[in-house]
Amino acid sequence: MFWNKAMETISGPDLRTLQLKRLTWTVRQAEKVPFYQSLLKNAGIRSDAIRSLDDLVKLPFTSKKDLRLGYPFGSLAVPLTEVVRIHTTSGTTGKPTVVGYTRADLENWADLMARDLTMVGLGPGDVFQNALGYGLFTGGLGFHAGAEKIGMTVIPSATGNTRRQIEMIEDFGVTAVNATPSYAMRLAEVAEEMGAGLETLRIGTFGAEPWSENMRRELEERLGITAYDSYGMSELYGPGAAFECEEKNGLHFWHDSFLIEIINPETGEQLGPGERGELVVTPLVKEAMPLIRYRTGDITMILDDVCPCGRGQKIARIMGRSDDMLVIRGINVFPSQIEHVLLSLPEVGEQFMVYIDRIHHLDEMTIEVEVNRDYFSGELGDLTHVQKRVAGVLRDSLNLRTRVTLVEPGSLPRFEGKAKRVIDRRGDIW
Amino acid sequence: MDTENFTIKQISVFSENRPGRLAAIARALQEEEINIFAFSIAEAKGFGVVRALVDKPGVAYKKLTELGFMVSFTDVIAVKMRDEPGGLFEIAKILGEAEVNIEYAYAYSGKEVAVLILRVDHVDDAIRRIRGAGGELLQSSLFT
């Protein structure tokens, strides 16, 4: 089933003509943004000099850092009066990245989500439980709009209160659930505890964090569903930029809306199909926040095979990160953010170690910090207070609950050169 | 009444909650021939504080700090108790009536005497009231 067959299957010269036209438009849109004016000037290229898609390589890359430097509205190409919504995503240090949407941006995003959900066989008659966070996180609202658009009955259940979630699946005859894969595991576990069969459930769409093929098999078996992988990020509207079709063999990118490349993250050189590297995306119809060659940090490859479903080129499921970003319960965390928080707290040193475990299918992040000698009174209560304060400030800053462990001063490893502060013990995640 | 004579310096040592930490502290004290009169461990999530009354708190502080431990002195009092039913009640009653709050306490019971070590919110008040009621406190000169 197609939502927008013409755009989902566009290929060959038709696609290239459309992409070129939209690329030129996007660069013109970017020329309204001061930081892009200087990036483009430094690269010695202007929108009117783009003659073919091969000129893409002449354009500069955009990094997450570029977006952060413009906080809050430095990345907007339209006046705030035309921005109808704002989402934020975690930045690499203290400030989040702000993402703005015009009315047309929201419509385009909902259209892409509508394509995604239709592609996996959902539509009117389905009852869709959207168990992703609603709020600044783009996951909840993004899926919600697409799910309503295609005429499903949508339950904005968000996350938490897992037993109630199971009751709703049973009582409302839910046919499809959308969640992070780790929360889906939790749903499966609680359903089993409650003896709930979840007979009506047939499809699950999961994303926002890495999950392996083993986890897919387990989710499919325990929830009695077919599980599909979804891909996106706030900078590319949110979820839905790419999605698996019923073949479950790679994710279709929407090539009328995004120009994708794979590059060598070290050299920036373009790589061919089948070569593993960093995904770089140029959205083609974004009004409020145009991006040029945005470095996603996600490692994947372009798949060269033709998909029986008739849609365009796919990427492989995400295989890792080119930077040190962590994904914890669907939330992106950079170690530099943790460092930034610790520097603002005199009670503890700036050294830290991060341990990530998967406990009952949910990611738990433990941060070890050294107590500052000057703050040791000898009283246990004062130490507990320091521990709570560090956890509280981290929670406010990362939007994530963490476990904080106090250790003796001088006991954490000191690094010369590249620090290895993160020990990921989750095992099979990519 | 000079309450200073009865205000004892307890050493409080931060310790991660993992095997070998107490042994490391105890070995350091042994190396300095420091005798431990009484001690306790208070624990929170993942860490604890080792509290000890030792015969040479200044030497213990120096040695443990040199080894990288985080150490501080805490003022406590040590009250002799009758080692028989009601002994603890006698002391606790005095403090309760004086509105002195006990933050923590530990005790030891030896051949001759039982001793209650107390960390209280008002040290001077506690000393005056206990002595006023005929109670006996260990002198700080035992721990210098």
Side-chain angles (χ1 to χ4, degrees):
Chain A
M1 283 289 288
F2 293 93
W3 175 256
N4 182 346
K5 189 168 185 182
M7 284 300 119
E8 290 178 48
T9 56
I10 187 171
S11 63
D14 288 349
L15 175 62
R16 288 195 293 276
T17 305
L18 181 70
Q19 285 181 326
L20 177 60
K21 193 178 115 199
R22 290 180 166 178
L23 174 64
T24 313
W25 175 86
T26 294
V27 178
R28 269 206 305 277
Q29 191 73 354
E31 284 170 342
K32 299 173 185 169
V33 182
F35 92 81
Y36 269 125
Q37 286 164 6
S38 57
L39 270 186
L40 291 165
K41 197 177 166 206
N42 289 343
I45 178 122
R46 294 155 48 110
S47 55
D48 50 19
I50 296 167
R51 302 266 174 255
S52 83
L53 289 177
D54 295 336
D55 291 331
L56 182 65
V57 294
K58 297 176 186 165
L59 291 166
F61 291 113
T62 309
S63 69
K64 197 172 180 67
K65 193 174 157 223
D66 293 320
L67 303 183
R68 174 171 61 81
L69 291 173
Y71 181 87
F73 298 136
S75 307
L76 294 182
V78 299
L80 204 56
T81 49
E82 287 177 36
V83 173
V84 298
R85 195 194 292 168
I86 283 167
H87 281 283
T88 66
T89 177
S90 55
T92 47
T93 57
K95 292 282 184 217
T97 302
V98 176
V99 186
Y101 304 76
T102 64
R103 193 166 300 282
D105 286 336
L106 289 184
E107 276 162 19
N108 285 332
W109 181 19
D111 183 75
L112 299 183
M113 286 286 1
R115 295 183 198 179
D116 296 321
L117 296 168
T118 305
M119 177 163 65
V120 298
L122 293 167
D126 278 299
V127 182
F128 185 78
Q129 187 154 320
N130 192 19
L132 280 183
Y134 281 67
L136 289 169
F137 175 54
T138 51
L141 286 166
F143 270 91
H144 188 100
E148 276 188 353
K149 200 176 178 87
I150 66 168
M152 291 196 282
T153 304
V154 185
I155 305 165
S157 66
T159 54
N161 205 348
T162 308
R163 294 180 77 87
R164 182 77 194 109
Q165 300 254 9
I166 299 298
E167 282 168 19
M168 286 194 287
I169 294 172
E170 298 258 291
D171 296 348
F172 299 163
V174 169
T175 58
V177 66
N178 177 49
T180 61
S182 51
Y183 192 60
M185 282 294 235
R186 182 75 194 135
L187 287 173
E189 205 167 62
V190 173
E192 284 156 19
E193 277 167 27
M194 292 167 69
L198 310 180
E199 272 81 15
T200 52
L201 210 53
R202 61 185 189 92
I203 286 174
T205 53
F206 306 124
E209 64 186 19
W211 54 302
S212 63
E213 285 298 326
N214 283 336
M215 198 156 170
R216 185 197 316 252
R217 273 190 290 278
E218 196 175 340
L219 283 170
E220 291 189 330
E221 206 168 289
R222 292 174 73 177
L223 290 169
I225 53 165
T226 308
Y228 297 99
D229 194 6
S230 77
Y231 178 77
M233 58 177 58
S234 302
E235 296 90 325
L236 311 178
Y237 301 117
F243 222 92
E244 282 182 333
C245 66
E246 287 177 300
E247 300 293 321
K248 293 197 289 183
N249 183 22
L251 293 88
H252 289 284
F253 238 98
W254 303 117
H255 300 287
D256 62 312
S257 301
F258 303 100
L259 197 51
I260 65 168
E261 308 164 71
I262 300 293
I263 63 158
N264 176 334
E266 307 293 328
T267 64
E269 170 201 11
Q270 265 189 356
L271 300 174
E275 292 184 289
R276 187 185 154 123
E278 181 180 346
L279 175 67
V280 171
V281 183
T282 305
L284 295 174
V285 291
K286 281 185 81 198
E287 288 184 345
M289 203 176 121
L291 291 172
I292 296 171
R293 303 188 83 193
Y294 186 67
R295 294 191 59 160
T296 64
D298 287 320
I299 301 293
T300 179
M301 63 173 85
I302 291 174
L303 304 175
D304 212 14
D305 47 344
V306 175
C307 189
C309 83
R311 295 177 184 83
Q313 229 168 15
K314 294 185 284 196
I315 57 164
R317 300 186 71 198
I318 303 303
M319 300 159 171
R321 290 285 304 173
S322 66
D323 58 16
D324 56 359
M325 189 182 89
L326 305 164
V327 186
I328 311 293
R329 297 197 294 273
I331 295 171
N332 299 345
V333 179
F334 290 92
S336 56
Q337 286 175 281
I338 298 169
E339 190 165 19
H340 191 81
V341 168
L342 297 180
L343 283 171
S344 73
L345 294 167
E347 300 94 325
V348 293
E350 72 275 18
Q351 301 291 333
F352 65 95
M353 284 296 290
V354 176
Y355 297 89
I356 305 163
D357 296 284
R358 192 157 274 173
I359 299 167
H360 303 305
H361 308 296
L362 284 180
D363 297 337
E364 288 293 344
M365 186 159 81
T366 306
I367 298 167
E368 285 185 350
V369 288
E370 294 177 355
V371 183
N372 183 340
R373 280 178 192 281
D374 299 340
Y375 284 81
F376 180 62
S377 65
E379 299 299 335
L380 196 70
D382 293 341
L383 290 166
T384 310
H385 182 76
V386 168
Q387 191 177 30
K388 282 192 179 139
R389 179 165 146 76
V390 175
V393 177
L394 281 168
R395 188 194 179 116
D396 290 345
S397 175
L398 308 179
N399 286 317
L400 188 71
R401 176 182 50 75
T402 59
R403 297 175 177 190
V404 171
T405 304
L406 301 181
V407 301
E408 290 162 23
S411 67
L412 291 176
R414 265 62 177 166
F415 297 93
E416 284 174 26
K418 198 167 163 55
K420 179 107 183 69
R421 298 190 193 283
V422 179
I423 311 286
D424 197 331
R425 300 187 285 214
R426 287 177 291 186
D428 179 28
I429 57 164
W430 295 106
Chain B
M1 191 192 313
D2 188 4
T3 55
E4 246 175 59
N5 286 341
F6 304 102
T7 308
I8 299 168
K9 295 228 173 297
Q10 165 193 280
I11 57 164
S12 304
V13 189
F14 176 84
S15 174
E16 290 166 35
N17 193 353
R18 59 185 166 85
R21 297 317 286 156
L22 181 62
I25 294 168
R27 184 176 56 215
L29 297 180
Q30 182 206 16
E31 280 169 10
E32 296 298 316
E33 301 202 327
I34 292 165
N35 192 35
I36 302 166
F37 186 72
F39 91 102
S40 81
I41 299 174
E43 64 105 25
K45 263 188 186 168
F47 63 86
V49 175
V50 175
R51 300 156 173 164
L53 283 197
V54 298
D55 56 359
K56 293 178 280 184
V59 180
Y61 182 96
K62 188 164 172 286
K63 173 74 175 181
L64 289 167
T65 304
E66 276 169 10
L67 289 173
F69 282 99
M70 209 158 48
V71 193
S72 84
F73 288 127
T74 309
D75 287 343
V76 296
I77 55 173
V79 192
K80 285 189 184 170
M81 292 185 287
R82 287 190 296 119
D83 194 1
E84 58 185 56
L88 175 62
F89 174 60
E90 273 179 13
I91 310 298
K93 186 167 170 280
I94 297 168
L95 295 173
E97 283 168 357
E99 292 284 318
V100 170
N101 194 45
I102 299 168
E103 282 165 14
Y104 58 79
Y106 48 104
Y108 91 94
S109 170
K111 266 186 215 147
E112 325 242 301
V113 70
V115 174
L116 177 66
I117 295 128
L118 293 160
R119 165 73 172 158
V120 294
D121 55 354
H122 301 296
V123 178
D124 292 350
D125 274 1
I127 291 171
R128 285 192 198 100
R129 294 297 287 258
I130 291 167
R131 298 198 74 208
E136 199 182 336
L137 292 145
L138 298 191
Q139 299 224 359
S140 52
S141 55
L142 290 168
F143 311 95
T144 47

